[in-house]
Amino acid sequence: MDAASGGTTISDEMAQEAEAQDLLTLGVEEEYLLVDAVEPRGVEAVEDVLDHIPAEYAEAVQHEYLRTQIEVASPPQLHLATLYEAMKELRGVVSGAAEQAGVRLVAVGTGPAAGPVARLVDRPRYHRMRERFGDLSPGQGMCGTHVHVSIPDPESGIHVLNHLRPWLPVFQAATANSPLADGRDTGYASWRSMLWERWPTVGPTPHLESPEHYETLVADLRASGAMLDEGMLYWYARLSASYPTVEIRMGDVMPSLDDAMLLAALARGLVATLLRNIREGAPAPDVPHPLLMAAHWRAARDGLEGQLLDLATREPRPAWRLMRQLFDYVRPELERHGDLEMTTVLMGRLRSHGTGAARQRAILNRDGTVADVVDWLARATRGGSDPEDATAT
């Protein structure tokens, strides 16, 4: 919910390599829930966990809005394998710090189990948010994934945001990982998405005319009182306020690092593909805002296991067909960035085991409990690749 640092800035060597090969850099932020060591409920342990973070990782780990949450941000990377290792290391470090503090780290969109309402982290900005907007984040916290992809300049970024709009429901479906809340199945693959929409600036990015139009909208939203600062611009994709990146930010945090890296690679492939199309003069798709809202609602409800609204044909289609269409669309850029082989493997794994939402429900369908779901989530978060396929255990 805060404006994350995004890790360290890009090195001169990386910038030179990216420019020489016309490649885009990639970074990921993930928010996690802290839960009790035995029970599945969230616990207010962020300060204790931060106390156990080694000093060399302090820049990459920070508070989130509630005391039950913690956030990590990777440094920008040029190679997907390097990003994977960086995020694996961060997950391991924070999981270890959580264990030292007597709690567990869980990558999940909302708290699956009933528990006390978490208090705010004691920061002036968060208190101002609560005073102005009230209790729009009750419960134990909402945890998401944000992907940063570099752009050459703000004007290109505005065009990318316009072209991204019809693709983002597919990303939302693929990241769905919050079917449970307060110990029950909500009927949605991403209940976090429904809770998150209560904030006044959350939603699909509007069609933008120029960087000046973007800045005017931000200023008008601040003047309206709908947000305190640019960090509260919660559109599903936006220009980063701190870095020369487009930030895709509507997805749940995913239990499997494999799935998170797949979505990061597809995001970079898509931005690179769109930049090429923009240079060739392709216009942004004309997507009516109500249909875009309907597509995001369908993605939150069904995830990848049901139907999605195809915004090209305006008809429901199997979600996995649209996911495959996205993969095929960005395939040339996946290959050019050196991501194709790894992404193909990760795509197959996601197809085999399903989204986090599907895997949580698979545990419950085998007479498992919410505690069993949280146990699996903690194991999946702690590991690099999936330690265990929930659909087969």
Side-chain angles (χ1 to χ4, degrees):
M1 186 165 296
D2 203 358
S5 67
T8 58
T9 56
I10 186 170
S11 68
D12 291 340
E13 293 79 7
M14 190 182 300
Q16 291 169 4
E17 184 180 356
E19 183 177 3
Q21 300 183 42
D22 189 26
L23 301 177
L24 306 181
T25 60
L26 187 59
V28 171
E29 301 164 15
E30 290 186 325
E31 300 158 352
Y32 310 114
L33 185 69
L34 300 170
V35 301
D36 185 81
V38 178
E39 299 179 11
R41 58 180 173 82
V43 290
E44 296 182 358
V46 65
E47 300 297 344
D48 291 339
V49 175
L50 287 170
D51 285 344
H52 288 92
I53 298 293
E56 61 268 31
Y57 296 97
E59 184 183 1
V61 185
Q62 63 181 3
H63 295 90
E64 240 299 315
Y65 188 61
L66 298 178
R67 300 185 190 191
T68 49
Q69 298 174 279
I70 197 165
E71 180 175 12
V72 304
S74 76
Q77 301 291 347
L78 198 54
H79 304 291
L80 185 61
T82 308
L83 178 66
Y84 189 105
E85 290 304 315
M87 287 302 298
K88 179 180 178 181
E89 186 174 359
L90 277 174
R91 282 192 176 208
V93 165
V94 183
S95 291
E99 291 164 9
Q100 287 180 279
V103 299
R104 292 178 290 173
L105 189 75
V106 173
V108 67
T110 57
V117 174
R119 293 175 294 168
L120 297 181
V121 168
D122 189 16
R123 286 186 171 181
R125 180 174 184 268
Y126 294 155
H127 288 295
R128 291 198 304 272
M129 289 169 67
R130 175 63 63 83
E131 288 168 6
R132 179 174 297 183
F133 300 104
D135 193 15
L136 294 184
S137 292
Q140 299 163 55
M142 296 180 287
C143 300
T145 298
H146 307 159
V147 179
H148 287 260
V149 183
S150 64
I151 50 173
D153 53 71
E155 185 170 359
S156 298
I158 294 299
H159 288 302
V160 167
L161 293 178
N162 289 336
H163 283 254
L164 275 173
R165 297 168 78 237
W167 292 104
L168 293 186
V170 182
F171 282 86
Q172 186 171 10
T175 62
N177 183 40
S178 52
L180 310 180
D182 296 325
R184 63 180 179 85
D185 192 323
T186 65
Y188 281 79
S190 176
W191 185 239
R192 169 191 165 274
S193 296
M194 307 311 296
L195 298 177
W196 184 225
E197 287 180 0
R198 295 176 299 183
W199 287 84
T201 59
V202 172
T205 310
H207 182 84
L208 300 159
E209 301 298 332
S210 64
E212 293 75 23
H213 182 211
Y214 184 95
E215 292 169 5
T216 297
L217 279 176
V218 171
D220 288 346
L221 285 168
R222 290 186 65 176
S224 76
M227 62 187 202
L228 296 178
D229 49 44
E230 194 168 347
M232 288 190 68
L233 187 68
Y234 297 142
W235 293 341
Y236 293 154
R238 68 183 187 185
L239 301 183
S240 170
S242 304
Y243 299 98
T245 64
V246 163
E247 183 182 1
I248 296 172
R249 48 178 294 113
M250 76 292 126
D252 291 352
V253 67
M254 289 157 277
S256 163
L257 184 57
D258 284 357
D259 296 346
M261 293 300 98
L262 168 63
L263 270 294
L266 291 174
R268 176 164 67 176
L270 180 57
V271 171
T273 300
L274 297 177
L275 282 169
R276 184 187 67 231
N277 293 347
I278 291 162
R279 287 193 293 267
E280 294 172 354
D286 181 14
V287 183
H289 191 79
L291 277 181
L292 199 55
M293 292 289 291
H296 279 286
W297 170 80
R298 193 73 186 251
R301 195 191 73 167
D302 287 7
L304 280 181
E305 283 68 44
Q307 300 275 314
L308 284 182
L309 184 60
D310 184 338
L311 288 167
T313 65
R314 303 188 180 183
E315 296 179 352
R317 295 176 61 194
W320 260 104
R321 187 177 300 174
L322 293 179
M323 184 69 173
R324 183 70 204 191
Q325 181 178 317
L326 169 63
F327 182 89
D328 292 340
Y329 182 59
V330 305
R331 184 185 182 101
E333 286 296 336
L334 292 176
E335 186 167 17
R336 196 173 70 83
H337 279 80
D339 297 346
L340 181 58
E341 182 177 358
M342 184 174 178
T343 306
T344 300
V345 171
L346 298 180
M347 184 84 163
R349 290 178 184 173
L350 178 60
R351 186 70 175 101
S352 174
H353 60 55
T355 61
R359 302 175 80 182
Q360 291 184 51
R361 285 170 167 155
I363 293 170
L364 294 179
N365 289 339
R366 294 193 306 275
D367 297 323
T369 65
V370 173
D372 294 328
V373 169
V374 173
D375 289 346
W376 171 75
L377 286 166
R379 292 196 305 271
T381 306
R382 187 69 167 86
S385 300
D386 280 326
E388 187 175 11
D389 187 356
T391 62
T393 56

